[in-house]
Amino acid sequence: MSSITLSSLTIGYRLKGGCKAVASGIDASLHDGELTCLVGANGAGKSTLLKTMAAFLPKLGGNIYIKGKDIAEYTNRELSRLISVVLTSRPEAENMTAEEVTGLGRTPYTGFWGTLGTDDKRVVAESMEQVGVAHLAGRTIATLSDGERQKVMIAKALAQQTPVIILDEPTAFLDYPSKVDTMLLLARLAHEAGKTVFLSTHDLELALQTADRLWLMPGDGRIVTGTPRQLADGGELSAFIERRGIAFDRDTLRIRVERNEK
């Protein structure tokens, strides 16, 4: 089932002199229980698209439907119970514990003072356990590695109990084992918890191996969607990846560097 549908969407920025469109005519859907990776050229509009879908930026045209209802019809509080967002920037909460940061995910459900009730604390504990960071509960964010910190932010998103999780470059700044660990974790959350997980990434080869579906922005204002196999068979991935010294194997979905040594 589609959780988010984009129809003739135009994204960009509103400036004093008018609007600057980055991409237009976007038609695509995200589905429950799937990990979808947004990949593409630098400057193609990946972050702009994510921010527009998360209602951080206004759309310039077209429609964004969440659970069949236009995004403009939701209040901010309603959206906070539908979409959780994990950004690339480090949290400004260096002195907070991992448990306290995860608890911030309960903000849409707590009262004015943000006091966690028994049920909230249970959700926080379960979210940290599900992500594998329960043992870090009492550690401050400042003492965690980049990989541990990213997992805590994912636990915070999970504690928000939204059907959709959007992540902007969640594997940035991580070493390779942590990148793999994070991507496999997000795939598991999508498949086992039925979440819609949508993320942008520059780790194209890792996305090819872990994503159920890809959204490809080649940099010409278009967006092409499909499974990695569909985009490989259709030639879209070869057109995007291949250039002098870089080859793409359609059969194995692997990227190969070709060294022309004399």
Side-chain angles (χ1 to χ4, degrees), residues 2-258:
S2 298
S3 56
I4 296 182
T5 299
L6 313 182
S7 177
S8 301
L9 180 68
T10 298
I11 60 171
Y13 299 91
R14 288 194 169 98
L15 306 172
K16 284 186 177 180
C19 295
K20 176 179 175 56
V22 175
S24 60
I26 300 173
D27 294 297
S29 295
L30 295 176
H31 302 276
D32 297 334
E34 288 188 352
L35 169 64
T36 301
C37 290
L38 174 64
V39 297
N42 289 333
K46 295 188 299 296
S47 291
T48 304
L49 178 58
L50 254 67
K51 291 176 182 177
T52 304
M53 292 171 62
F56 291 173
L57 286 175
K59 56 185 173 64
L60 300 186
N63 299 93
I64 302 174
Y65 299 103
I66 304 176
K67 300 295 183 182
K69 182 177 173 181
D70 193 277
I71 192 171
E73 298 179 30
Y74 288 101
T75 65
N76 288 336
R77 186 174 181 81
E78 288 171 336
L79 283 175
S80 70
R81 296 189 179 195
L82 289 171
I83 301 174
S84 53
V85 181
V86 179
L87 300 175
T88 307
S89 57
R90 296 185 176 185
E92 297 179 2
E94 296 292 290
N95 294 321
M96 294 181 69
T97 66
E99 185 176 35
E100 289 170 337
V101 170
T102 304
L104 294 176
R106 300 304 298 161
T107 301
Y109 308 95
T110 58
F112 177 78
W113 299 107
T115 304
L116 300 185
T118 302
D119 286 344
D120 297 310
K121 293 178 181 178
R122 175 185 54 78
V123 171
V124 168
E126 290 176 352
S127 299
M128 297 189 76
E129 183 68 36
Q130 199 169 352
V131 175
V133 292
H135 64 291
L136 303 175
R139 295 262 303 274
T140 61
I141 292 297
T143 67
L144 303 182
S145 68
D146 288 337
E148 290 171 333
R149 185 183 296 110
Q150 190 64 283
K151 284 185 178 180
V152 170
M153 299 310 295
I154 293 171
K156 171 180 172 288
L158 201 57
Q160 200 169 326
Q161 291 187 308
T162 58
V164 179
I165 301 176
I166 293 178
L167 307 97
D168 186 16
E169 291 286 347
T171 58
F173 314 121
L174 302 184
D175 57 30
Y176 191 74
S178 296
K179 289 176 186 286
V180 174
D181 196 27
T182 299
M183 291 295 282
L184 291 177
L185 166 64
L186 292 170
R188 178 170 58 83
L189 291 177
H191 300 158
E192 295 181 3
K195 302 282 187 182
T196 298
V197 181
F198 182 54
L199 63 90
S200 64
T201 181
H202 282 101
D203 294 311
L204 178 56
E205 191 158 22
L206 192 52
L208 288 172
Q209 297 178 61
T210 56
D212 298 299
R213 197 173 299 271
L214 295 177
W215 287 16
L216 173 62
M217 300 183 76
D220 56 5
R222 296 181 302 127
I223 185 166
V224 185
T225 69
T227 66
R229 170 53 54 202
Q230 287 170 337
L231 296 190
D233 291 345
E236 291 89 356
L237 285 172
S238 294
F240 174 67
I241 295 169
E242 291 187 336
R243 64 200 69 183
R244 183 180 176 87
I246 304 176
F248 176 65
D249 189 319
R250 297 189 185 191
D251 295 328
T252 63
L253 301 180
R254 298 284 183 172
I255 300 169
R256 186 176 68 254
V257 177
E258 298 181 326

